[in-house]
Amino acid sequence: MSENIIEVKNLKKSYNDGETVTTALAGVSFEVRKGEFLAIMGPSGSGKSTLLHLLGLLDQATSGSYRFVGKNVNSFSSDELADLRNREIGFVFQSFNLLSRTTVLENVKLPLYYSAIPEHEWDKRAREAVESVGLGNRMDHGQAELSGGERQRVAIARALVTDPEIIFADEPTGNLDSKSGKQVMSVIQHLNEEHGKTIVLITHETSTAEHAERIIRLMDGAIESDTKVKNRLTAEDEFKK
């Protein structure tokens, strides 16, 4: 069995508004191995958000091939893609996307309602996920009682609760101050190094990207460079304090 969790070849995405065709991805090819921490960088309009949506099974390519966890997903139906996405993928977004007027534990438990995981396991799984991001003392707190960094860690716990194969983090430090950003990156790096989670990070910040093992840089819908990080940053484990 291949050790690659992602294999894309000549992946293209175009949008047609009836008058003009806009190319968002011009044919990208790369692989992501299981357990790898990859950062994808690029300026606005470079195609990184489009690529995230394709890799996360939120959209389908115009052409090219995409194998995810060994499956050729090009011909999958919407229902099949949704099922695979719910089982194998966790998402962390810049805006947190937490439900208001619900506790930390309830927010983290939400993906379990749409999973095949037995209900009697939900509470245990959610508590373990919250503990794993250093918020065990915040289980019953509401969103309004949390800092921005704590809200993002709740979002990470929610992404983890179904034990996905891969986590896509889209600008996870974009709305945070420097200290909170370091704490969030420490959590993400810990999940990769200690728990073996595959991480694909979308960011425009070089200091954030350098927590990864490898950086792909996009420009005008194409891969400009694909390099290993020589001096990988180590985030401080401030969330444990």
Side-chain angles (χ1 to χ4, degrees):
M1 179 181 287
S2 172
E3 293 184 357
N4 294 324
I5 191 169
I6 285 173
E7 298 175 358
V8 298
K9 293 181 180 179
N10 200 29
L11 207 64
K12 298 180 180 180
K13 182 65 177 180
S14 299
Y15 298 96
N16 190 336
D17 65 4
E19 295 182 0
T20 59
V21 176
T22 301
T23 299
L25 284 179
V28 299
S29 301
F30 63 92
E31 299 170 347
V32 181
R33 60 178 171 77
K34 185 178 175 64
E36 188 173 10
F37 189 161
L38 169 70
I40 298 175
M41 298 189 69
S44 178
S46 63
K48 61 183 187 295
S49 294
T50 299
L51 182 57
L52 170 71
H53 284 100
L54 297 181
L55 297 180
L57 308 179
L58 297 169
D59 196 4
Q60 291 182 286
T62 303
S63 63
S65 67
Y66 179 20
R67 294 186 67 84
F68 177 71
V69 293
K71 299 178 175 67
N72 186 340
V73 300
N74 293 64
S75 60
F76 275 32
S77 68
S78 295
D79 287 344
E80 289 172 323
L81 289 172
D83 179 65
L84 188 59
R85 185 170 61 244
N86 291 341
R87 285 188 288 108
E88 306 289 5
I89 296 175
F91 292 99
V92 179
F93 296 104
Q94 178 177 343
S95 57
F96 317 140
N97 292 343
L98 301 182
L99 296 177
S100 59
R101 296 187 296 279
T102 58
T103 66
V104 166
L105 190 65
E106 290 167 337
N107 263 291
V108 172
K109 198 181 291 186
L110 183 63
L112 296 171
Y113 287 87
Y114 306 96
S115 74
I117 296 168
E119 188 174 353
H120 68 268
E121 295 184 20
W122 292 359
D123 195 69
K124 178 175 181 293
R125 277 179 174 261
R127 289 182 180 278
E128 287 176 349
V130 175
E131 292 280 0
S132 75
V133 299
L135 291 176
N137 62 336
R138 292 282 207 252
M139 294 274 187
D140 299 318
H141 287 235
Q143 182 180 182
E145 301 173 87
L146 305 177
S147 68
E150 287 172 333
R151 291 180 189 181
Q152 191 61 290
R153 282 190 271 155
V154 173
I156 294 170
R158 185 180 56 194
L160 283 173
V161 74
T162 58
D163 193 26
E165 282 283 351
I166 187 168
I167 293 174
F168 290 100
D170 187 10
E171 300 281 7
T173 62
N175 284 337
L176 304 177
D177 59 41
S178 177
K179 181 178 179 180
S180 296
K182 287 181 180 180
Q183 292 175 331
V184 165
M185 288 311 302
S186 179
V187 172
I188 292 173
Q189 197 160 2
H190 180 77
L191 294 175
N192 172 250
E193 294 178 351
E194 302 300 323
H195 297 277
K197 290 296 180 186
T198 307
I199 308 290
V200 174
L201 169 74
I202 306 294
T203 183
H204 66 277
E205 299 172 340
T206 300
S207 60
T208 300
E210 288 178 347
H211 287 287
E213 303 168 74
R214 173 183 164 209
I215 300 175
I216 288 178
R217 287 183 169 85
L218 297 179
M219 180 64 72
D220 298 328
I223 294 177
E224 183 180 52
S225 63
D226 184 346
T227 58
K228 295 286 186 180
V229 177
K230 293 182 179 179
N231 298 305
R232 186 181 182 190
L233 294 178
T234 301
E236 298 176 1
D237 289 335
E238 294 182 64
F239 72 97
K240 295 180 180 178
K241 297 178 181 180

